[in-house]
Amino acid sequence: MEDEPPSRKVEESGSSKQSQRQQERQGKLPRRHKEVKRSLRRPDCPEHLLGGSVHRLPEQPESEASVSVEDTAESCRKRWDRCRRGHFLHGPYPATHFGPKACVLPNPTSVMHIQDPASQRLTWSKPPLNVLVIRKIRDETLLEPFKELCRFLVEEKHLMVYVEKKVVDDGSLMTDDSFSAIRNQLCTFREGYDDISDRIDLIICLGGDGTLLYASSLFQGSVPPVMAFHLGSLGFLTPFKFESFKTEVDKVFEGNAAIILRSRLKVKVVKGMFQRNEQLFSPQENGIVLNEVVVDRGPSSYLSNVDLYLDGRLITSVLGDGVIVSTPTGSTAYAAAAGASMIHPNVPAIMVTPICPHSLSFRPIVVPAGVELMITLSPDARNTAWVSFDGRKREEIQHGDSIKITTSCFPVPSICCHDLVYDWFDSLAQCLHWNIRKKQTRLTDASDNL
């Protein structure tokens, strides 16, 4: 008897399998359990390093498939080691699958994306043309640096320079005939009246940390890169020295400079418990802050009594002089004076620090950057509260009012002098004298002196 063609056998086997599946669906035959072959993927290896799951081609033999999985696992281990060595501040992106069946629910509305700090480099799609120069006012020592910088940007770099009108109207500049030609080429604006947010390519600050805070307040949305020169008193946020400003500016214009993304807070104030229309602050009212939002007792002698909510759930009540909600950048400002920890600006977080709390167990806390905090007056509060934004625009908060705070999607890209690690620790040592003490003598020297 001759063998039947292979094609016919395949057809018959296929039809038999189809009928068997139909009987299983109808409940006539017990359902078979599929054999799941476990992959050789390293348990702690992120799925994105594997480039997806490994599928065997129809024509691929079983042995080749296992070799492919083994090769992929080995390459995954190598890439995992490189990834672990390369990320010096953040760990690798965490795996989102846990075991064979559990995973994190996908969330398309992510608040912010955590980048590898080593990849945060400034680049220009087009050469910058418009530069905003912010100068600390009421400081006569900054007149000469301001004139040198404007002269360099206008005459040598051929750029359009924007300056605040009250800076140009300074009496010392008006009477300087040698600067009149440059002054006539400057573009002026007035805070709260002229919107320059879509015209500026680069911001250069001359002064202290307040100039960077002021630059942040001018841009409620996307912020241009900020280059800050240390010409003030503290200079924690101003890493550049003005003595070599031409060389430093040229380096920034060439691109590939390290930048640190300083997160900001978006603030809403809801007036009245039953009032539905939320009023988002206009730019001059400082709705987005770089350092902190402070709620305190104001001129009252009573304790401040406010309730703190996190994503709509009551967390605690704060009794004391007030509470500070700050960014990592603001952790070295008012929050540090109130006893909070200092956090690197690249860490996505929000800090909550009580001011002189009437409780020995109330310690500062750090919450994820994506949550929404809400502060209201407690029902049994004896007085109102006052809120300020980066030390400006104080406003009274009464019963029924609420303050909603969350992380803004528009950080401040601050240009680093060296890199985002060295600059921060150098500022801690130079400005705050962090962990500076007299050196301990060696044991042999101490024993010899006895």
Side-chain angles (χ1 to χ4, degrees), residues 402-424:
S402 62
I403 307 167
K404 295 184 178 181
I405 307 170
T406 188
T407 301
S408 171
C409 294
F410 301 102
V412 174
S414 180
I415 302 176
C416 301
C417 183
H418 299 93
D419 60 70
L420 67 168
V421 177
Y422 177 85
D423 284 6
W424 191 67

Side-chain angles (χ1 to χ4, degrees), residues 209 230 233-238 423-434 436:
D209 297 343
H230 177 31
S233 55
L234 185 61
F236 194 89
L237 307 179
T238 54
D423 284 6
W424 191 67
F425 281 99
D426 184 62
S427 297
L428 288 181
Q430 298 297 328
C431 301
L432 300 182
H433 301 290
W434 175 67
I436 294 179

Side-chain angles (χ1 to χ4, degrees), residues 113-133:
H113 174 68
I114 304 176
Q115 270 193 322
D116 175 16
S119 66
Q120 291 178 186
R121 312 289 297 186
L122 175 65
T123 184
W124 302 100
S125 58
K126 295 180 180 180
L129 299 177
N130 303 322
V131 179
L132 171 62
V133 176

